[in-house]
Amino acid sequence: MNAPMPTAHDDLPSYPGERDDYVNPARALLIGPPVSPLRFVGGSTGWLVTGYREAREVLLDPRFSAERWRGDDTVRPVPEWVRENKSSGTGSFLFMDAPEHGRYRGLLMRYFTVRRMRELEGRIEAIVTERLDALEAAGKPADLVRHFALPIPSLVICGMLGVPYEERATFQSVAARLLRHDRSNEDFLAGRATLAAFIGALITAKRKEPQDDLISKLTAVAELTDAEIIGIAALLLVAGHETTTNMLSLGTFALLRDPEQLRRLRADDSLVPGAVEELLRYLSIVNAFPVRIALEDVVVGGVTVKAGESVAVSIPAANRDAALVEDPGTLDVGRPRSSHLAFGYGIHQCLGQHLARTELAAAYRGLLGRFPGLRLAVAPEEVPMRSDMVIYGAHELPVTW
């Protein structure tokens, strides 16, 4: 049956961003129909998709646009400059449709293949070992985020892009500001300007003395402007460390709260790759994205989404749908690999997914091997969670061993 949009907009729920019990999605996301009405932060009405099959439909269907200027958002109002320019910024291909999206992605795909990640395995494992040494040297208790989870992906993406790691404070602080739920439009523009100046200086230096890194290689692409390279590099730099950092810290938190799953993983090293997939499914750290805007009337899950309406796809809820796996609310490190949506789906599926998998497997394997007695140094409720951020995780994770 075709469900209508309720007429009383004030009665519509907004997106429930708070998680239940640290790692579980808000219960409201798990008990409703697969497609339901939602009030967006800009005041418009649209739809929330929580069903796994319905989420795949929306993310795959070209009748749904990723261009933010066309609709509304769940986290904060879309900035006016985005609507006026009909763009989220030059090179920001995350918010582009085909064919523009394909042009940028096509330039980058060769640097993120499975084969390329295998070539990087040795370097990633060396970084993990260095950070394990640093964690141990920090003494007990230590903050796993600061000494281990944050540096690993930062070092890796800096190496790939050609960003000096000693200047990490610049992009890490900007990323933290940009990803806050309550950041203002002024904060965003200031952060974007800081990042653009930082990357712009790198581009100038690499045009003079090219090296074997991604920014240098992009400067050799004749059809790319500096503004486009800045947009691409900024996206890769922020996404390349924020997502994996929080997946690593939150995954460790989840395992430390589940002694049986932790025991299984420590007892059988061969479970690590599958456990990475299960943790990605179970935790789904990106809270409220992606949002798509209907370009025409589209029926999804028996609901007609009208042209121009925004649709929020809840990845955490879709990955907890029984249509995906049996007993989806249970963490099972031995579960067969599922077709989860933690990296998205369709043309916008995460470009760096193979890199993230490689980093996570090396980090979990190294951490559990080095510290067989690893445990939380505080009660679970004392761990400061990132409920204030678009990318969920822990601000700090005090551990001992």
Side-chain angles (χ1 to χ4, degrees), residues 36-49:
S36 59
L38 187 71
R39 184 178 65 251
F40 285 73
V41 292
S44 68
T45 58
W47 302 94
L48 171 65
V49 173

Side-chain angles (χ1 to χ4, degrees), residues 53-90:
R53 295 190 182 95
E54 293 77 9
R56 282 168 57 107
E57 284 182 35
V58 171
L59 297 177
L60 190 62
D61 195 329
R63 293 175 295 177
F64 287 101
S65 173
E67 295 177 334
R68 299 171 66 213
W69 61 269
R70 296 178 180 274
D72 209 345
D73 209 338
T74 59
V75 177
R76 60 180 74 88
V78 175
E80 282 306 310
W81 68 266
V82 171
R83 296 199 190 281
E84 291 170 0
N85 296 305
K86 296 185 177 181
S87 170
S88 291
T90 306

Side-chain angles (χ1 to χ4, degrees), residues 338-350:
S338 65
S339 299
H340 61 75
L341 302 180
F343 292 116
Y345 192 65
I347 67 170
H348 286 281
Q349 192 169 39
C350 178

Side-chain angles (χ1 to χ4, degrees), residues 253-268:
F253 186 32
L255 288 170
L256 293 180
R257 294 181 64 236
D258 195 328
E260 175 57 22
Q261 298 305 309
L262 183 61
R263 182 198 63 76
R264 292 176 65 193
L265 201 53
R266 282 179 171 147
D268 186 354

Side-chain angles (χ1 to χ4, degrees), residues 110-129:
R110 73 190 75 174
Y111 305 111
F112 292 91
T113 61
V114 173
R115 179 178 177 179
R116 178 60 180 143
M117 294 309 106
R118 286 174 181 158
E119 294 172 353
L120 288 175
E121 280 182 357
R123 175 58 184 148
I124 291 172
E125 288 170 357
I127 289 173
V128 169
T129 299

Side-chain angles (χ1 to χ4, degrees), residues 62-240:
R63 293 175 295 177
F64 287 101
S65 173
E67 295 177 334
R68 299 171 66 213
W69 61 269
R70 296 178 180 274
D72 209 345
D73 209 338
T74 59
V75 177
R76 60 180 74 88
V78 175
E80 282 306 310
W81 68 266
V82 171
R83 296 199 190 281
E84 291 170 0
N85 296 305
K86 296 185 177 181
S87 170
S88 291
T90 306
S92 299
F93 61 94
L94 183 64
F95 302 108
M96 292 180 180
D97 296 338
E100 291 82 5
H101 170 268
R103 170 177 169 251
Y104 290 116
R105 191 177 177 101
L107 290 170
L108 299 168
M109 283 292 292
R110 73 190 75 174
Y111 305 111
F112 292 91
T113 61
V114 173
R115 179 178 177 179
R116 178 60 180 143
M117 294 309 106
R118 286 174 181 158
E119 294 172 353
L120 288 175
E121 280 182 357
R123 175 58 184 148
I124 291 172
E125 288 170 357
I127 289 173
V128 169
T129 299
E130 291 168 5
R131 297 319 306 173
L132 288 168
D133 293 343
L135 180 63
E136 189 167 17
K140 300 181 285 187
D143 178 10
L144 188 88
V145 175
R146 176 184 174 189
H147 298 291
F148 187 71
L150 178 58
I152 290 172
S154 293
L155 280 161
V156 173
I157 199 63
C158 281
M160 290 183 69
L161 290 173
V163 175
Y165 181 67
E166 58 270 19
E167 298 183 40
R168 64 193 178 277
T170 298
F171 69 82
Q172 288 178 353
S173 63
V174 169
R177 286 159 53 196
L178 294 180
L179 294 174
R180 287 189 62 86
H181 283 307
D182 61 355
R183 66 119 170 101
S184 66
N185 191 33
E186 291 72 24
D187 287 338
F188 178 80
L189 291 173
R192 195 176 73 144
T194 299
L195 204 53
F198 174 71
I199 298 172
L202 288 175
I203 291 172
T204 299
K206 291 176 188 300
R207 286 195 186 280
K208 294 178 181 178
E209 295 184 25
Q211 299 174 332
D212 186 24
D213 58 63
L214 185 50
I215 292 180
S216 293
K217 291 171 182 175
L218 291 176
T219 62
V221 179
E223 63 267 29
L224 283 180
T225 65
D226 283 9
E228 288 177 305
I229 298 172
I230 288 171
I232 293 169
L235 176 59
L236 296 178
L237 189 58
V238 173

